Amino acid sequence: MKETAQILKEKGLKVTPQRIAVYNMLLNTTEHPNAETIYKALEPTNPTMSLATVYKTLDYFKQLGLVQELNVGEGSSRYDAVVKCHPHTVCVQCGKVQDLYLDELTEIHKKVEDELDFQVNCEQLILYGVCGNCRRKNKEG
Ligand code: ZN
Ligand code: MN
């Protein structure tokens, strides 16, 4: 895998330790964190970084196609370093966002193309529900 610094440089971004830290965190998580969560996670190792810097950095990343912004119906956006379109599940109880890879979507795209003469490039699919953890907790009462 390419060095994070190299990736940022190729995108024309000035390489700073804080930008590297934000991008690395997103590359190494499947949690789809929001800006605040990223800020809190990086605070111990980057004490001089402000929340505003995190927001600005995420905005640059988004514009450069390094991350995708997910609106799952919360007040703040979630961020994903996987920029290729893919569906997500969202737990309405704890807010957990997970990747969902569905082979069946290819069939649906094909069906849409045949029936509507429309070529699908991307879908924004979010399935809302309750995750296993929350369902177990609910049962325990
Ligand atoms: Zn949950
Ligand atoms: Mn994702």
Side-chain angles (χ1 to χ4, degrees):
M1 207 171 98
K2 267 194 224 167
E3 285 281 323
T4 301
Q6 187 62 31
I7 296 170
L8 299 184
K9 219 195 258 169
E10 279 171 13
K11 289 282 181 182
L13 259 189
K14 193 169 150 242
V15 179
T16 69
Q18 299 181 339
R19 285 177 180 167
I20 290 176
V22 172
Y23 192 51
N24 274 345
M25 189 204 159
L26 281 169
L27 283 177
N28 291 311
T29 183
T30 54
E31 307 262 303
H32 305 84
N34 61 23
E36 194 122 354
T37 307
I38 296 170
Y39 170 68
K40 280 188 188 136
L42 295 178
E43 205 181 11
T45 46
N46 297 268
T48 59
M49 182 164 65
S50 67
L51 180 58
T53 300
V54 174
Y55 273 111
K56 229 185 286 167
T57 302
L58 289 167
D59 210 47
Y60 284 135
F61 286 177
K62 195 183 87 179
Q63 285 171 33
L64 294 168
L66 285 169
V67 302
Q68 68 164 307
E69 186 178 6
L70 297 172
N71 181 349
V72 299
E74 300 171 334
S76 55
S77 300
R78 304 292 200 106
Y79 292 88
D80 195 340
V82 179
V83 289
K84 193 177 176 288
C85 294
H86 58 282
H88 292 93
T89 59
V90 175
C91 176
V92 294
Q93 236 173 282
C94 68
K96 183 180 173 133
V97 178
Q98 286 179 285
D99 289 332
L100 175 70
Y101 291 99
L102 289 174
D103 290 337
E104 289 81 356
L105 272 177
T106 312
E107 279 165 47
I108 293 174
H109 290 183
K110 176 93 181 56
K111 202 174 164 179
V112 170
E113 190 165 342
D114 291 346
E115 290 181 10
L116 294 177
D117 187 24
F118 182 85
Q119 188 198 326
V120 180
N121 294 331
C122 183
E123 80 287 322
Q124 282 284 1
L125 181 63
I126 300 177
L127 303 182
Y128 291 96
V130 183
C131 75
N133 256 341
C134 287
R135 287 205 316 281
R136 279 186 289 280
K137 266 190 217 154
N138 296 345
K139 241 185 253 166
E140 286 160 17

